[in-house]
Amino acid sequence: MSQSSTPKIALVGNPNSGKSSLFNHLTGLNQKIGNFPGVTVDKKTGFCQLNKTTRAEIIDLPGTYSIYPNSTDEKIVFDILGNRSNPLHPDMVVVIVDASNFKRNLLLFTQIRDLNIPVVLALNMMDIVEKTGLSIDAKKLAERLQVPVVPTRARKGTGIDKLKEVLAQVKPNGQVKPIFDARNHCGDAIDEVKRNFNIEEDYVAYQMLQQYSINDSISDRDKLVLGEIAIKYDFKKDDIRRKETLERYAAINHVIDAAVKENFAYLPKEWTKKLDGLFTHKIWGYAIFLFILFLIFQSIFAWATVPMDIIDLTFSELSVALKNVLPAGALTNLLTEGIIPGIGGIVIFIPQIAILFAFISVLEETGYMSRVVFLMDKIMRKFGLNGKSVVPLISGVACAIPAIMATRTIENWKERLITIFVTPFMSCSARLPVYTILIALIIPDEPVLGILNLQGLALMGMYLLGFLAAILSAAAMKLILKTKERSFLVMELPTYKVPRWKNVGMTMFEKSKTFVLEAGKIILAISVVLWVLASYGPGDEMEMAEQRITAQYDVSQLSDVEFGNKVDAYKLEHSYAGIFGKAIEPAIEPLGYDWKIGIAIITSFAAREVFVGTMATIYSIGGVEDEGTIKGRMRNEINPKTGEPRYTFAAGFSLLVFYAFAMQCMSTLAIVYRETKGWKWPILQFTYMTAVAYLSALLVFQVFK
Ligand code: GDP
Ligand code: MG
């Protein structure tokens, strides 16, 4: 800038775009830290010698996603950039754009540019962009945006000299054509604001109208004036803002088309057209999607069995081995009966999760998933969901935790919340062992139509049941939840590509890691609590177990194993867990359950897969978790009141339905807490799902008994 005084340069950008790194490189040790007036937000200023003659004052503004003030930090940015009389108002702005998150970062840039302050765009994180197989053409970008563009790597300091050189030459703006011309939507109101407040820029006046009710740095008197203008010209705040976002993204997409190149294998354009005709076809589209889903589930169950068995075996052998090596005692028991099986219970789901996400990420990488989103959007919308809800719902079949995290792509708050709320109804892999054992117990192993199998059909029925519960609950929530925010699907269909296998691998790894860390913490903690509840009890019944069994049975007739089993079962009955089980018996009797099932329900409230292990202990199998034997014991179990088997069709079916619907997963609740930032939704979800489970199980038992 050819000014003789020291020009002020403000650094603006999304949080983590590299502002502070750039600031440090520009100013070196020549900086000082203070506060912005009136608020405790760090204000960093410093000086930078741009060239031999020009020295500039640099100010590092707080990170912001948009000009609209959603936080104190963002308010500061608007107050400084929008108000010419603010002592910190800059002569020019450097917008730092995280190029690896190009689209979202450019949104802020387009807003800043419309404030009509001279702007330079620093295209940061170019090293990351290059790694992902993209390239951004800075020259084309500069042409399209009509501002100087400098590629930088702020962490290393690359591009800083060039940036200084460009900054030294920046001239004051003439009138540039705005990217979003607010004048097209509310020109008269803007003119009146400009007259009243002595503002020069259209976009600043427009922002005053947008913000006056929420921005407390606007005085009460000014607020009144702005309010009157808004009413006089019927300024529809949300409507216009929606149009603004659309116009900005349209402009950004144009820029991206011109300046961003993807360096990977494309299908030719004609192919894309033909494939789209097929994949989004009114009938074939759905048929193909269903077929792909079918293939995915077949593969998950076919491929995951072997690694899952290996993991299972490894952990149980580890337990046995440690038990033999370590001195006997409570600590050893906690480790071998609580902690190690607890960790094993988490790790065992990794193969299914990894395989599922491999498929999902291939579908996303190739571009097919966008077609599914497009295809399903209309249907999902009827149920209060969104085309993008398809991915979380499918992922929910492996595990609700990564599935709920995948809802972050849904922009509309209500639709995202509904998706989060209903996803745990999808039958996750933790329900599978419970389904397997109960179905084997109550459904005969008979062929149907020659190729299918009755038990297999029943299993499929359980998955369908979960899906129906999800969809219907969503529809109910759509009616209950009120929101003004309307959503629209804005997306372009990308061209088909060959997937980048590195990304597929990364997704598999990331999702599995998140699952292990997030679910792991909670499952582990709960395993320990459960172990304590099942290993200790009031009074001295626990210590007396051996003697009680000796008194009750003819010990000479029992093998060592049988004796041990009887002791374990006796201990569990008299443990705290057993006492809880008995306490809830009156509540679950109408569902067809007894206190033993009560224990299993209580223990599996932490995580469903605990059910089978608890059953194994209750029916005194001891250490060997052989499914066949548990099944045998469960089949022989007699209901003392009726003299009939405990697991009648009605009781077994009722239990199946209970497990299909109940929210028995602490980890999911923890994730919902994190994603919705509060306890309201997880508590509602827990209450609702438990109520649905209880009532359906009650209905099933009373109808079929
Ligand atoms: P701010 O929040 O905008 O102030 O961003 P920071 O300057 O604190 O940077 C956020 C993170 O991005 C830090 O870990 C930086 O080291 C890193 N970072 C900054 N610039 C680059 C870059 O050009 N390439 C890479 N790979 N990382 C960068
Ligand atoms: Mg910073």
Side-chain angles (χ1 to χ4, degrees):
M1 196 163 272
S2 51
Q3 267 168 295
S4 54
S5 65
T6 318
K8 285 200 202 67
I9 301 177
L11 305 185
V12 182
N14 284 189
N16 290 316
S17 54
K19 273 188 320 310
S20 299
S21 311
L22 195 65
F23 177 79
N24 289 338
H25 278 292
L26 285 173
T27 59
L29 294 174
N30 215 340
Q31 46 177 277
K32 77 172 192 267
I33 298 181
N35 272 349
F36 287 100
V39 286
T40 53
V41 175
D42 274 353
K43 178 184 104 175
K44 286 202 284 182
T45 51
F47 289 94
C48 173
Q49 199 70 41
L50 295 181
N51 58 19
K52 284 198 186 95
T53 51
T54 323
R55 195 169 116 101
E57 184 180 4
I58 314 277
I59 166 166
D60 185 15
L61 291 182
T64 174
Y65 290 109
S66 96
I67 275 289
Y68 289 87
N70 293 316
S71 66
T72 318
D73 288 8
E74 294 183 342
K75 216 171 285 171
I76 293 173
V77 174
F78 177 73
D79 290 344
I80 292 175
L81 297 184
N83 183 358
R84 296 232 157 158
S85 54
N86 190 311
L88 292 170
H89 187 79
D91 301 293
M92 46 185 147
V93 175
V94 178
V95 177
I96 294 105
V97 162
D98 170 359
S100 68
N101 228 323
F102 200 47
K103 216 166 179 169
R104 197 187 64 194
N105 276 254
L106 271 190
L107 185 69
L108 175 69
F109 169 82
T110 66
Q111 291 173 337
I112 303 279
R113 215 209 64 165
D114 287 353
L115 293 173
N116 208 17
I117 308 168
V119 190
V120 174
L121 193 154
L123 201 51
N124 198 30
M125 311 257 181
M126 285 301 277
D127 49 322
I128 300 183
V129 174
E130 277 151 23
K131 276 191 202 133
T132 59
L134 294 178
S135 65
I136 301 179
D137 184 338
K139 256 211 198 99
K140 284 231 173 73
L141 198 59
E143 255 166 47
R144 289 286 165 134
L145 296 172
Q146 299 186 339
V147 296
V149 173
V150 182
T152 57
R153 281 175 68 179
R155 181 186 273 170
K156 278 205 156 173
T158 322
I160 304 290
D161 289 337
K162 177 81 189 156
L163 183 64
K164 285 185 193 171
E165 192 184 303
V166 170
L167 281 170
Q169 290 164 5
V170 170
K171 305 232 168 18
N173 275 6
Q175 201 60 43
V176 293
K177 186 179 172 312
I179 290 168
F180 163 72
D181 194 349
R183 189 161 280 287
N184 293 340
H185 301 281
C186 48
D188 297 340
I190 287 177
D191 284 337
E192 185 148 349
V193 173
K194 282 165 77 175
R195 270 198 305 278
N196 262 289
F197 294 90
N198 199 14
I199 292 173
E200 281 175 38
E201 301 310 329
D202 290 347
Y203 192 59
V204 175
Y206 162 81
Q207 278 298 337
M208 298 279 282
L209 284 166
Q210 278 287 352
Q211 298 185 14
Y212 69 87
S213 56
I214 44 169
N215 193 339
D216 44 27
S217 54
I218 297 176
S219 76
D220 286 347
R221 231 205 61 215
D222 290 353
K223 278 184 182 173
L224 273 179
V225 176
L226 286 163
E228 273 164 21
I229 296 176
I231 291 169
K232 181 169 162 197
Y233 294 99
D234 192 21
F235 181 80
K236 291 205 184 65
K237 194 167 103 179
D238 295 339
D239 257 12
I240 300 187
R241 183 165 168 189
R242 201 172 300 133
K243 283 180 194 144
E244 178 184 350
T245 310
L246 282 178
E247 278 185 35
R248 289 197 187 283
Y249 272 123
I252 290 173
N253 285 338
H254 247 83
V255 170
I256 288 181
D257 275 349
V260 180
K261 286 245 151 36
E262 304 178 47
N263 308 324
F264 29 62
Y266 278 118
L267 279 184
K269 277 245 160 41
E270 317 85 78
W271 275 76
T272 296
K273 238 183 172 166
K274 276 191 193 139
L275 282 176
D276 273 349
L278 193 60
F279 288 152
T280 58
H281 188 268
K282 265 183 276 179
I283 296 159
W284 291 116
Y286 296 105
I288 291 171
F289 180 46
L290 275 181
F291 180 70
I292 290 180
L293 280 186
F294 174 78
L295 269 189
I296 293 179
F297 291 132
Q298 288 293 318
S299 326
I300 290 179
F301 292 120
W303 297 343
T305 332
V306 174
M308 285 174 89
D309 285 347
I310 294 174
I311 292 170
D312 201 16
L313 198 71
T314 312
F315 275 88
S316 58
E317 283 188 349
L318 184 66
S319 267
V320 174
L322 280 177
K323 203 160 197 156
N324 290 336
V325 182
L326 296 173
L331 219 57
T332 303
N333 285 347
L334 173 63
L335 186 68
T336 57
E337 290 168 13
I339 295 178
I340 291 181
I343 298 178
I346 303 158
V347 174
I348 197 155
F349 290 114
I350 292 180
Q352 290 191 339
I353 289 177
I355 294 174
L356 178 74
F357 281 103
F359 277 111
I360 289 185
S361 113
V362 168
L363 294 186
E364 279 180 344
E365 286 271 320
T366 51
Y368 176 70
M369 206 52 120
S370 312
R371 274 75 188 178
V372 173
V373 169
F374 177 78
L375 189 69
M376 298 297 287
D377 193 62
K378 242 207 202 123
I379 300 181
M380 299 304 254
R381 220 163 266 284
K382 293 204 175 90
F383 296 98
L385 300 163
N386 174 307
K388 291 184 183 165
S389 310
V390 171
V391 178
L393 287 179
I394 298 173
S395 317
V397 174
C399 174
I401 294 163
I404 284 173
M405 290 171 35
T407 60
R408 285 186 196 163
T409 53
I410 303 174
E411 293 97 1
N412 178 282
W413 178 82
K414 177 175 167 184
E415 287 163 358
R416 174 159 180 240
L417 186 70
I418 296 181
T419 311
I420 290 178
F421 200 85
V422 304
T423 293
F425 273 122
M426 299 301 287
S427 280
C428 67
S429 45
R431 284 171 173 105
L432 195 62
V434 184
Y435 288 168
T436 317
I437 197 164
L438 288 173
I439 285 177
L441 217 56
I442 60 167
I443 307 281
D445 187 6
E446 278 169 14
V448 182
L449 299 174
I451 41 163
L452 302 170
N453 165 295
L454 199 57
Q455 293 186 339
L457 280 182
L459 187 63
M460 216 177 90
M462 294 310 296
Y463 278 90
L464 215 59
L465 195 64
F467 176 67
L468 282 179
I471 284 283
L472 295 179
S473 306
M477 277 184 83
K478 182 190 174 191
L479 297 179
I480 296 167
L481 276 181
K482 293 275 170 273
T483 171
K484 272 180 249 141
E485 198 183 346
R486 290 234 2 235
S487 86
F488 33 87
L489 186 73
V490 193
M491 61 181 285
E492 64 236 272
L493 296 177
T495 35
Y496 292 97
K497 308 179 189 72
V498 178
R500 285 156 292 176
W501 299 108
K502 209 169 104 194
N503 287 8
V504 176
M506 281 301 288
T507 309
M508 290 169 75
F509 175 75
E510 285 295 325
K511 296 284 179 181
S512 309
K513 190 178 95 183
T514 322
F515 168 75
V516 170
L517 295 183
E518 293 292 335
K521 277 186 291 213
I522 291 165
I523 294 182
L524 196 60
I526 298 290
S527 312
V528 173
V529 173
L530 286 182
W531 175 84
V532 171
L533 287 181
S535 312
Y536 294 90
D540 58 356
E541 284 300 322
M542 302 299 276
E543 287 88 71
M544 298 293 286
E546 277 84 1
Q547 289 173 40
R548 295 270 193 268
I549 296 297
T550 316
Q552 222 175 334
Y553 295 90
D554 180 0
V555 179
S556 60
Q557 296 291 314
L558 294 175
S559 73
D560 281 356
V561 174
E562 282 171 323
F563 179 75
N565 288 345
K566 292 240 181 304
V567 170
D568 283 348
Y570 186 88
K571 281 185 174 168
L572 186 61
E573 183 178 349
H574 293 89
S575 68
Y576 290 110
I579 290 165
F580 284 138
K582 286 189 173 159
I584 66 164
E585 199 177 53
I588 56 176
E589 213 169 356
L591 313 186
Y593 315 154
D594 61 358
W595 64 269
K596 295 183 185 176
I597 301 178
I599 299 182
I601 288 182
I602 288 180
T603 55
S604 60
F605 251 104
R608 298 171 179 100
E609 60 275 20
V610 179
F611 176 83
V612 178
T614 312
M615 282 289 160
T617 320
I618 298 175
Y619 294 114
S620 56
I621 308 301
V624 201
E625 294 201 359
D626 180 77
E627 203 180 79
T629 331
I630 307 172
K631 223 159 38 195
R633 301 271 176 159
M634 287 168 77
R635 189 167 279 144
N636 293 334
E637 178 79 359
I638 298 293
N639 181 346
K641 286 188 188 141
T642 58
E644 283 177 12
R646 159 66 56 197
Y647 292 93
T648 57
F649 176 76
F653 191 16
S654 151
L655 201 52
L656 269 177
V657 169
F658 186 86
Y659 271 84
F661 296 153
M663 163 50 105
Q664 292 168 295
C665 183
M666 296 283 176
S667 326
T668 302
L669 288 172
I671 285 289
V672 175
Y673 166 76
R674 212 184 68 188
E675 296 291 313
T676 61
K677 301 199 174 66
W679 282 112
K680 176 178 160 195
W681 290 105
I683 289 173
L684 272 175
Q685 189 176 35
F686 178 81
T687 315
Y688 171 71
M689 291 182 72
T690 310
V692 170
Y694 186 88
L695 294 176
S696 326
L698 181 69
L699 186 76
V700 164
F701 184 69
Q702 297 302 332
V703 167
F704 287 97
K705 81 172 174 192

